[in-house]
Amino acid sequence: MKPVTENDLSEIVKGASQPFHIRGGGTRNIGKPVNGAVLNTEGLSGITLYEPGALTLVAKAGTSLAEIEQALDAENQRLPFEPMDHRGLLGTSGTPTIGGVVAGNVSGPRRIQAGACRDFMLGVRFVDGTGRIIKNGGRVMKNVTGYDLVKLMTGSWGSLGVLTEVSMKVLPKPETAACVLINGLSDAEAVSVMSKALGSPYEVTGAAHTSSGVDGDPVTMLRIEGFEQSVAYRADQLQALFSEHDVTIESDPAKVAAGWEWVRDVQPMHGTSGDVWRFSVKPSDAPALVEALKAEHPVNRTLYDWGGGLIWVETDPGTNLRPDDLAGHATLIRAEEKTREALPVFQPESAGLSALTTGIRARFDPKALFNPGLMSA
Amino acid sequence: MQMPTPNPQILAKKARIVERLRAVLPRDSVIEDEAETRAYECDALTAYKCPPLAAVLPSSTKEVSDVLRICWEEGVPVVPRGSGTSLAGGALPTADCVILGVARMNDVLETDYDNRVIRVQTGRTNLSVTGAVEEEDFFYAPDPSSQLACAIAGNIAMNSGGAHCLKYGVTTNNLLGVTMVQMDGTVVEIGGAHLDSGGLDLLGLICGSEGQLGVVTEATLRILRKPEGARPVLMGFDDNEVAGACVADIIKAGVLPVAIEFMDRPCIEATEAFAKAGYPMCEALLIVEVEGSDAEIDEQLALILEIARRHNPVELREAKDADEAGRIWLGRKSAFGAMGQINDYMCLDGTIPVSELPYVLKRIGEMSKEYGLGVGNVFHAGDGNMHPLILFDANKPGDLELCEAFGADILRLCVEVGGCLTGEHGVGIEKRDLMIDQFAPEDLEIQMATKDVFDPQWLLNPAKVFPLESSQSRRATAMAAE
């Protein structure tokens, strides 16, 4: 099914008794496998409003990300939360949609400084499980009128309602960017260096580390963005801050962009055969967590982003990497269906949180029509 | 503003309720004496007052849980209270409620510079969170005007903003985790020192829910390193529209100031008479502040001034040092006080798309004449968050009602041009009955259904946010169950 208007969609839902698998571009097959008729949102497409001077963009949920990025490009603006493209990692094809980005709260390396997708969301329209068309939030940048269901819908993976329109805050592109590269650090040293950089006044907008960079050696990356003189100044300050290490500065914007795309899209794990897990933890816990994982499981590759707060780990297929006592959350991003059936994909919740989540689902989607079970433990 | 009739059954069992509360709290933490409960009869929306049945001042999550469980068992409404600085009546009591004040819970529990987070009890004031990390040159970004007094609990309840949120975001963008007590006494942990928990974003839902879903007792907040420096410029224009265009051009140029403040002529005149900051007399005044090292500030200000010059300003004033920066901010920071010197005032905070600014200011001017009440506008221009200050005389019969009607018309206008009723103060009781102007019945229904999940008996701050008529059946069911 592929409705082309919000009203069509509402009618389809009102008449439905069997579950749907909600799909935008179909590039992010994450979560428990869903049994249901595909409900495709790509027919709900188009930019509704774009005011560059107000930093506001409103688009129908099925609008392709490419169309949105093209419109923003023309005004020298961008989506500040730098959404990851999952196609390379998951081996999917198709065209990512803005609704899919919002449904997955998909964010990238700039999350640590600018915020996540949820932080840039201003409003949503959606159809709930009884077919009602609902709006929340709006198109203005500050809004505390009523409950913030915008955040609740962002990252709910289509399981509370079908998004029909989203409005978000965008930001200007910086004039230029540079990357401070620190070579040869251990994971623990790297997290400590990234913490120091993120705790400096130099506005680092990306902090990533891998023990095996493009040339096979450990490299720690710090990104700075802004006006040219300011970027040069801050890169120098950071280089001085870490002068006891082997530091170089990359100031070719194209190379900087390519490097951060490599981090954002987890390129070291493209085309490999293992399962991929994503851990969100307190940065200082990260090195010990990785050590503990390595002691108990096969760990083929790792990549640290968000100053250590986000760790991508590739393991052998079918391995349950999630420790019982994890302070943070682990998500199984890439695995065969049977593994995703067998293991919790999302972090299991405490009994208290689970009761609230279940209650909310029952109110938003009482017939359990939307992606049933996708987020279940 | 109408409030529900107090439940006589609850009033009748006051002694028993107080006795049960005293059994779980230290003696001085339960206030029931009528002279003393009067201290809690209102918040900063002082036009409405009502002493509560009792007030409690717990000092731990455990005590909050005990209080809520007892009130839940007794069917007593609970109104949570931070420091009582709400401008929207968010902490206004009813005669049959228990005020739960978190003021005694003000400890810093953990400061973690490596991970750039601080964990505090929520009775702690906003400014003292920054105070706790200042020695290491860190700060907590959201800065509501009441930051000296307002509590983190209230900031979370209202999702408070401030002058610097153009760059740093509002409370919800700086909140990573909470400990929350539900109405039945259940304690839940949401989020933590890590980012973006994988399930439904309950943290995002709690923030801004006006104390209607639970009582937040502890919070993990993001702290940031202070910038090397900050400096403002002041610009005066002869036309609101031109000032608005200048703001849009600055934003489009790729500069991200930390603040863009706007004042209109009535407000400039009032502040000049009061604070004598030496502001130019013109139609619109902008204060734009940028951050960074000295060289970075120079670079950004040069670009901003170049843009401003294209719009024929009547005045451009750049701060060369801290003293001059202070003078530029002086008038803006005394704007509310200055308006208060003239008369009583009501402060609204509707938000509009920035492009609608000239039209909205023109309409407000026309309405001011129709109502015969003066109004000055201070405005977070970068994000469209207006602050019309309507002047009235509280001692003149009918003036408050006239002012409220004028205010309601301004807020309807904000909604009409694509904005919203409140950008940072919250709905409370003040804007409760206007919710139907912004939301369709089904939009409100799903919000109320969300409250049902957290507080099925509608005991937490029940007469706020939703029009009494809309929430009537839910509150009635709860009362019947009692």
Side-chain angles (χ1 to χ4, degrees), chain A residues 252-303:
Chain A
D252 175 352
K255 285 188 183 156
V256 173
W260 286 97
E261 207 173 288
W262 187 82
V263 174
R264 184 195 72 185
D265 295 344
V266 203
Q267 285 180 16
M269 298 175 200
H270 286 195
T272 56
S273 59
D275 287 358
V276 175
W277 289 74
R278 180 184 187 271
F279 291 84
S280 176
V281 295
K282 190 161 81 175
S284 60
D285 288 349
L289 172 66
V290 169
E291 281 311 306
L293 294 177
K294 281 180 177 167
E296 285 195 29
H297 306 287
V299 169
N300 307 333
R301 284 169 192 83
T302 56
L303 175 64

Side-chain angles (χ1 to χ4, degrees), chain A residues 51-55 75-77 105 107 111-116 118-120 126 128 132-149 151-152 154-157 159-160 169 171-175 194-196 198-203 227-231 233-234 237 278 280-285 306-307 309 327-329 331 346-347 349-350 352-353 355-357 359-361 363-364 375, chain B residues 110 112 114-116 138 158-159 161-162 165-168 170 172-173 175 180 182 188-190 193-205 207-210 212-213 222 225-228 248 251-256 291 293 296 299-300 303 349 351-355 380 382-383 385 417-427 435 438-440 442-443 445-454 465-466:
Chain A
E51 278 186 14
L55 303 174
E75 294 290 340
N76 208 27
Q77 296 189 338
N105 186 28
S107 314
R111 195 281 169 249
I112 38 161
Q113 189 260 349
R118 54 128 32 208
D119 295 299
F120 288 87
F126 64 97
D128 80 354
R132 288 180 301 190
I133 298 169
I134 289 165
K135 67 168 183 301
N136 193 265
R139 55 174 274 219
V140 287
M141 258 187 244
K142 271 167 89 179
N143 187 347
V144 295
T145 322
Y147 295 166
D148 192 347
L149 304 183
K151 297 225 167 36
L152 192 63
T154 305
S156 65
W157 294 93
S159 67
L160 295 180
K169 176 181 171 181
L171 284 178
K173 282 187 186 172
E175 190 174 270
M194 291 190 287
S195 286
K196 200 168 165 189
L198 290 164
S200 78
Y202 308 123
E203 287 193 30
F227 291 106
E228 201 163 329
Q229 284 176 14
S230 162
V231 167
Y233 164 78
R234 286 181 283 149
Q237 294 293 315
R278 180 184 187 271
S280 176
V281 295
K282 190 161 81 175
S284 60
D285 288 349
W306 298 356
H329 61 97
T331 315
F346 291 89
Q347 183 69 23
E349 291 176 321
S350 66
L353 286 190
L356 293 172
T357 297
I360 289 169
R361 283 192 202 294
R363 263 61 171 201
F364 280 66
M375 289 183 81
Chain B
E110 191 192 355
D112 181 347
D114 282 343
N115 295 302
R116 300 166 303 284
F138 277 74
M158 295 312 202
N159 189 15
C165 59
L166 184 59
K167 179 169 177 189
Y168 295 112
V170 295
T172 192
N173 310 115
L175 176 69
M180 185 183 79
Q182 290 177 245
V188 288
E189 294 292 335
I190 307 176
H194 57 284
L195 296 168
D196 306 333
S197 293
L200 295 182
D201 190 354
L202 298 181
L203 191 65
L205 174 65
C207 193
S209 62
E210 307 209 4
Q212 291 198 311
L213 302 185
R222 185 168 78 132
R225 179 67 184 264
K226 280 188 178 165
E228 289 176 89
I251 287 173
K252 274 198 280 191
V255 198
L256 188 61
E291 289 180 344
S293 66
E296 290 175 292
E299 190 183 10
Q300 294 175 74
L303 181 62
D349 74 318
T351 304
I352 56 168
V354 184
S355 51
H380 301 312
D383 47 35
N385 192 189
V417 300
C420 66
L421 298 171
T422 170
E424 55 184 7
H425 297 170
V427 178
M435 289 290 273
Q438 182 168 337
F439 292 110
E442 56 272 22
D443 301 333
E445 172 57 33
I446 200 150
Q447 293 181 37
M448 290 189 289
T450 304
K451 178 167 168 65
D452 293 341
V453 175
F454 289 78
V465 184
F466 303 104

Side-chain angles (χ1 to χ4, degrees), chain B residues 324-344:
Chain B
E324 287 182 25
R327 289 195 70 76
I328 286 182
W329 276 111
L330 176 68
R332 166 61 185 94
K333 289 195 170 158
S334 39
F336 283 42
M339 297 299 276
Q341 284 295 107
I342 303 176
N343 222 329
D344 300 303

